[in-house]
Amino acid sequence: MAQLHAMTGGEGPLSYAQNSSYQRAVMDVVKPIIEEEITTKLDISQLSPNDSFWIADFGCSTGLNSFLAMHIITEAIQNKFQSASSIINSQSREFYVFFNDHVKNDFNTLFRSLPPERPYQAAGLPGSFHKRLLPKASLHFAYSSWALHWLSQVPKAVTDPTSPAWNKGNVYCGGARQEVYDAYSSQYAEDIDSFLEARAQELVSGGLMALLVPALSIKLDPSYKGEMVLDHIASILMDMAEKGRVSEEKIDSFNFPTYYTFPEELKAIIERNGSYNIERMEVLDNPGKYAVTSAHAHASVYRAVFEDLMTNHFGCEIVDELFETYRLKLEASPDLLLPEKDISIIIFVLLKRKLE
Amino acid sequence: MAQLHAMTGGEGPLSYAQNSSYQRAVMDVVKPIIEEEITTKLDISQLSPNDSFWIADFGCSTGLNSFLAMHIITEAIQNKFQSASSIINSQSREFYVFFNDHVKNDFNTLFRSLPPERPYQAAGLPGSFHKRLLPKASLHFAYSSWALHWLSQVPKAVTDPTSPAWNKGNVYCGGARQEVYDAYSSQYAEDIDSFLEARAQELVSGGLMALLVPALSIKLDPSYKGEMVLDHIASILMDMAEKGRVSEEKIDSFNFPTYYTFPEELKAIIERNGSYNIERMEVLDNPGKYAVTSAHAHASVYRAVFEDLMTNHFGCEIVDELFETYRLKLEASPDLLLPEKDISIIIFVLLKRKLE
């Protein structure tokens, strides 16, 4: 069974809520794109006057960035209704937003942080977004941001010592042997296809889906020379193993359940799925890299994302030491924080559910 | 604005999850009643084969008792589908259960405790059940248990020193002056009407609603001589005021936002609302009073229910002392725990949304 993990909950100094400005930075870039796409591509002619309008955010975490996205989306849709029909019609239209994340997600913080003056009723939808979550043909607008790089599980073969894809001495697929890379890449393709298939059932015909997919400008295959955060974390873990602070076996059995795609690969997966028209697809140079520039903030961002996952495997003392070492490493080599060293990109995709 | 409060969260020794056997005891009595009513009264002829079936529990708390109720309800409905239509139809029918409670409710514990093998997709619905929460005409079966005695707020007049309904030296309406009693009773009627009105919009025509309403076999008006838990709590608080442990002002400004109705009153409110046919209404002698018999367990049940509310007003030291004193009082006078001293009843009501 897949190990469940979540962003760090609550609103304290180590929480994801307090350490997600890296992820939030993209909203400034994406806002006009989403507004334009809703204005030009959203088909509201099929809705009867009493139908409520359903939006869902898949992988919402504790919500701060999600609330901003839902605000942008509902406002754009309300404007569309207002320009398309009588004022009475648009004013009485009810919006529902379904906030989805794993059952381990901190929904308490999400619900307690909901904007008091919001134009929608909120609901929490606990469970894996790789499976069906909503009724058939009920959803009008799907959204997912900074979430689809999470795999449903670490590919089985990479933790199996008898497999050619065993990922000994490494913690993800960056620069790994071809077999490891292929196992990750296959798992990703399978997971994205499951996601697209589940949403295809949930979306109404002609419904829209906006995806902000964390990716890289290059392939992570064996030719890759690691300079990503995960490469630094891997090297710190290996140092800790040498010092006897953590066993090599513990590292060998740990792999990040994350995969960073590249544009051609993602496009091919969506086309193979076949349920959607790609209305827009473009690469955004990840603005987060210009938003988070101090060693402390950078280490805190990644700690908020990975702490729960890593604590489950290594225990909390190791994780304290790991992220403290990472922070010191960044302070000692400020060059590592130069935006051009961060090869991450965000792929924006707007999909339209094909008519059935 | 109404003060929000919730049952004690988590799964620890003081949690509602661990201290709700008093409330759970009624399920044994109600199970055959609900099964019979679903078998004979639920109209599934209006559902098309692809429609999902929506159930909601209003006031679910952290869920343990709710999961049991949802299991009974979904099983009875599935049996109904199976006997009414082809097996294929009933097997593909999707169930959604919306768990509602205040935004301060511990939804994290609820979601993490969801039965892994359940025949429904779960969603959390944060917000007051005195307002609209679900889309119009979307809900097929509404349920609420041990929740409708909570008022949306303490009636304003009872905390106003200039009002004839000021409830000085008392903490609820039991045995209070007529003005206080009337203020509580009016607030209750208004709140139940809001609840019924919101659900009337959410339920499909012919949809069912099962309510388990905490009530008393007698009226709480000035003729009432207090022997309820709240009366004991009031008297302990007054003793603490005499000892200087808590100020009289603090007690004067505190009132429980709860009201225990009696059958004739509840029936009149439902009839006045006018959106429902009363299909069944009967008084159950609250089985909880036979299920929780030790002083310790009894004090824990009420602490799990009232701790959050009282801590907000009095602070946690006072609440510790209060419930410890209550426990000692019960131990010193075991007669107080005799089932016949507990005048609480549960009113079971089955309502059917009138056809529009």
Side-chain angles (χ1 to χ4, degrees):
Chain A
M1 202 184 126
Q3 182 86 46
L4 296 185
H5 44 82
M7 306 300 96
T8 303
E11 300 180 279
L14 295 178
S15 68
Y16 184 73
Q18 295 291 332
N19 291 287
S20 50
S21 52
Y22 184 83
Q23 292 84 351
R24 182 158 59 252
V26 76
M27 292 313 297
D28 291 335
V29 181
V30 158
K31 183 173 187 280
I33 300 178
I34 288 180
E35 287 170 344
E36 183 189 329
E37 292 302 309
I38 286 174
T39 306
T40 56
K41 308 272 171 61
L42 182 69
D43 177 12
I44 54 173
S45 65
Q46 305 298 314
L47 281 159
S48 41
N50 280 331
D51 285 348
S52 52
F53 193 99
W54 286 26
I55 302 163
D57 181 4
F58 297 94
C60 61
S61 182
T62 47
L64 283 196
N65 292 347
S66 183
F67 300 148
L68 179 56
M70 295 305 107
H71 177 79
I72 292 168
I73 291 168
T74 47
E75 197 170 60
I77 296 169
Q78 283 178 319
N79 289 340
K80 175 103 185 186
F81 276 115
Q82 249 154 28
S83 61
S85 65
S86 77
I87 289 168
I88 293 162
N89 245 352
S90 66
Q91 279 180 339
S92 65
R93 179 76 58 186
E94 291 179 342
F95 287 80
Y96 287 81
V97 173
F98 291 85
F99 292 95
N100 158 259
D101 213 310
H102 277 303
V103 295
K104 268 193 75 178
N105 183 53
D106 183 359
F107 282 95
N108 285 353
T109 294
L110 176 96
F111 289 160
R112 291 165 197 185
S113 320
L114 278 164
E117 300 295 323
R118 57 185 190 277
Y120 53 83
Q121 169 65 44
L125 203 54
S128 162
F129 56 50
H130 295 110
K131 296 182 178 154
R132 274 284 308 286
L133 292 161
L134 286 165
K136 283 175 193 151
S138 64
L139 186 60
H140 302 94
F141 195 101
Y143 176 83
S144 181
S145 171
W146 289 97
L148 289 174
H149 58 305
W150 288 99
L151 301 173
S152 65
Q153 58 181 0
V154 171
K156 285 199 184 71
V158 308
T159 57
D160 174 5
T162 68
S163 161
W166 187 33
N167 198 21
K168 183 171 167 53
N170 195 354
V171 293
Y172 81 126
C173 65
R177 284 173 300 110
Q178 191 65 42
E179 291 86 348
V180 175
Y181 178 77
D182 291 346
Y184 265 93
S185 171
S186 298
Q187 183 71 51
Y188 184 74
E190 191 184 303
D191 286 344
I192 297 291
D193 190 64
S194 302
F195 176 87
L196 293 173
E197 192 49 40
R199 302 299 83 75
Q201 291 190 50
E202 294 164 1
L203 279 164
V204 299
S205 287
L208 296 183
M209 174 146 72
L211 305 177
L212 280 71
V213 184
L216 297 179
S217 52
I218 55 163
K219 267 174 101 162
L220 280 176
D221 69 8
S223 67
Y224 166 72
K225 294 283 163 268
E227 295 211 311
M228 289 230 316
V229 177
L230 298 189
D231 300 303
H232 299 314
I233 287 180
S235 99
I236 294 170
L237 279 170
M238 294 314 287
D239 288 350
M240 288 168 76
E242 266 182 34
K243 288 181 201 154
R245 295 284 301 127
V246 55
S247 73
E248 267 188 54
E249 291 72 27
K250 207 81 186 150
I251 296 174
D252 289 344
S253 60
F254 179 77
N255 288 276
F256 282 97
T258 51
Y259 177 83
Y260 297 88
T261 188
F262 54 97
E264 296 75 15
E265 184 181 45
L266 182 61
K267 187 157 185 263
I269 297 170
I270 296 169
E271 286 174 344
R272 208 158 50 234
N273 173 273
S275 296
Y276 303 88
N277 292 320
I278 301 178
E279 300 284 332
R280 182 165 181 163
M281 181 163 188
E282 65 190 65
V283 170
L284 315 175
D285 180 21
N286 172 21
K289 58 179 98 164
Y290 311 98
V292 175
T293 52
S294 81
H296 177 80
H298 194 85
S300 297
V301 162
Y302 284 96
R303 182 174 185 149
V305 170
F306 291 125
E307 179 164 21
D308 181 44
L309 171 73
M310 300 193 75
T311 301
N312 286 341
H313 188 86
F314 293 106
C316 48
E317 306 81 11
I318 302 299
V319 173
D320 271 344
E321 185 177 334
L322 173 72
F323 283 101
E324 181 57 12
T325 309
Y326 180 49
R327 184 180 68 76
L328 293 172
K329 183 172 180 169
L330 294 176
E331 272 175 6
S333 312
D335 278 9
L336 293 175
L337 283 166
L338 290 174
E340 54 270 31
K341 287 272 182 184
D342 184 345
I343 55 174
S344 70
I345 56 173
I346 296 291
I347 306 177
F348 175 84
V349 197
L350 190 88
L351 301 177
K352 188 167 204 162
R353 177 75 176 96
K354 286 181 182 169
L355 302 177
E356 287 190 295
Chain B
M1 200 184 126
Q3 183 86 42
L4 296 184
H5 45 81
M7 306 300 97
T8 302
E11 300 180 278
L14 295 178
S15 68
Y16 184 74
Q18 295 291 332
N19 293 287
S20 50
S21 53
Y22 184 84
Q23 293 84 350
R24 181 157 60 252
V26 76
M27 292 313 297
D28 291 335
V29 181
V30 157
K31 183 173 187 281
I33 300 178
I34 288 181
E35 287 169 345
E36 183 190 330
E37 292 302 309
I38 286 174
T39 306
T40 56
K41 308 271 172 60
L42 182 67
D43 177 13
I44 55 173
S45 66
Q46 305 299 314
L47 280 159
S48 40
N50 280 330
D51 284 349
S52 51
F53 193 98
W54 285 27
I55 303 163
D57 181 4
F58 297 93
C60 61
S61 182
T62 48
L64 284 194
N65 292 347
S66 182
F67 300 148
L68 178 56
M70 295 306 107
H71 177 78
I72 292 167
I73 292 168
T74 48
E75 198 171 60
I77 297 170
Q78 282 178 320
N79 289 341
K80 175 102 186 188
F81 276 116
Q82 250 154 29
S83 60
S85 64
S86 78
I87 289 167
I88 293 164
N89 243 354
S90 66
Q91 279 180 340
S92 65
R93 181 75 58 185
E94 292 178 343
F95 288 78
Y96 287 81
V97 173
F98 291 84
F99 292 94
N100 158 259
D101 213 309
H102 277 304
V103 295
K104 267 193 76 179
N105 184 52
D106 183 359
F107 281 95
N108 285 353
T109 294
L110 176 96
F111 289 159
R112 291 165 198 184
S113 320
L114 278 164
E117 301 295 323
R118 58 187 189 276
Y120 53 83
Q121 170 65 45
L125 204 53
S128 163
F129 56 49
H130 295 109
K131 297 182 177 154
R132 273 283 307 287
L133 292 162
L134 286 164
K136 282 174 194 152
S138 63
L139 185 60
H140 302 94
F141 196 101
Y143 176 83
S144 181
S145 171
W146 288 96
L148 289 174
H149 58 306
W150 288 99
L151 301 174
S152 65
Q153 58 182 1
V154 171
K156 285 200 184 71
V158 307
T159 56
D160 174 4
T162 67
S163 162
W166 186 32
N167 198 20
K168 183 171 168 51
N170 196 354
V171 292
Y172 80 126
C173 63
R177 284 172 300 110
Q178 191 65 41
E179 291 86 349
V180 175
Y181 177 77
D182 291 346
Y184 265 93
S185 172
S186 298
Q187 183 71 50
Y188 185 74
E190 192 184 304
D191 286 344
I192 297 292
D193 189 64
S194 301
F195 176 87
L196 294 173
E197 191 50 39
R199 302 297 84 75
Q201 291 190 49
E202 294 164 359
L203 279 164
V204 299
S205 287
L208 296 182
M209 175 146 72
L211 304 178
L212 280 72
V213 184
L216 297 179
S217 51
I218 54 165
K219 267 174 102 163
L220 280 176
D221 69 7
S223 66
Y224 166 73
K225 293 284 164 266
E227 295 210 312
M228 287 231 317
V229 177
L230 297 189
D231 299 303
H232 299 313
I233 287 180
S235 100
I236 294 170
L237 279 171
M238 295 314 285
D239 288 349
M240 286 170 77
E242 266 181 35
K243 289 182 200 153
R245 296 283 301 128
V246 55
S247 72
E248 267 189 53
E249 292 72 27
K250 206 81 186 151
I251 296 174
D252 289 344
S253 60
F254 178 78
N255 288 275
F256 281 97
T258 52
Y259 177 83
Y260 298 89
T261 188
F262 53 97
E264 296 75 14
E265 183 181 45
L266 182 61
K267 187 156 184 264
I269 297 170
I270 296 169
E271 287 174 343
R272 207 160 49 236
N273 173 273
S275 296
Y276 304 88
N277 292 320
I278 299 177
E279 300 284 333
R280 181 165 183 161
M281 183 164 186
E282 66 190 66
V283 170
L284 315 175
D285 179 22
N286 172 23
K289 58 180 96 164
Y290 311 98
V292 175
T293 52
S294 82
H296 178 80
H298 194 85
S300 297
V301 161
Y302 284 96
R303 182 174 185 149
V305 170
F306 291 125
E307 178 165 22
D308 180 44
L309 170 74
M310 299 193 76
T311 301
N312 287 341
H313 189 86
F314 292 106
C316 47
E317 305 80 13
I318 301 299
V319 173
D320 271 344
E321 185 177 334
L322 173 72
F323 284 101
E324 181 57 13
T325 309
Y326 180 49
R327 184 181 69 75
L328 294 172
K329 183 171 179 168
L330 294 176
E331 272 175 6
S333 312
D335 278 10
L336 294 175
L337 283 166
L338 290 174
E340 54 269 31
K341 287 273 181 183
D342 185 343
I343 54 172
S344 70
I345 57 171
I346 296 292
I347 307 177
F348 175 84
V349 196
L350 189 87
L351 302 177
K352 188 167 204 161
R353 177 74 176 96
K354 286 183 183 168
L355 303 178
E356 285 190 296

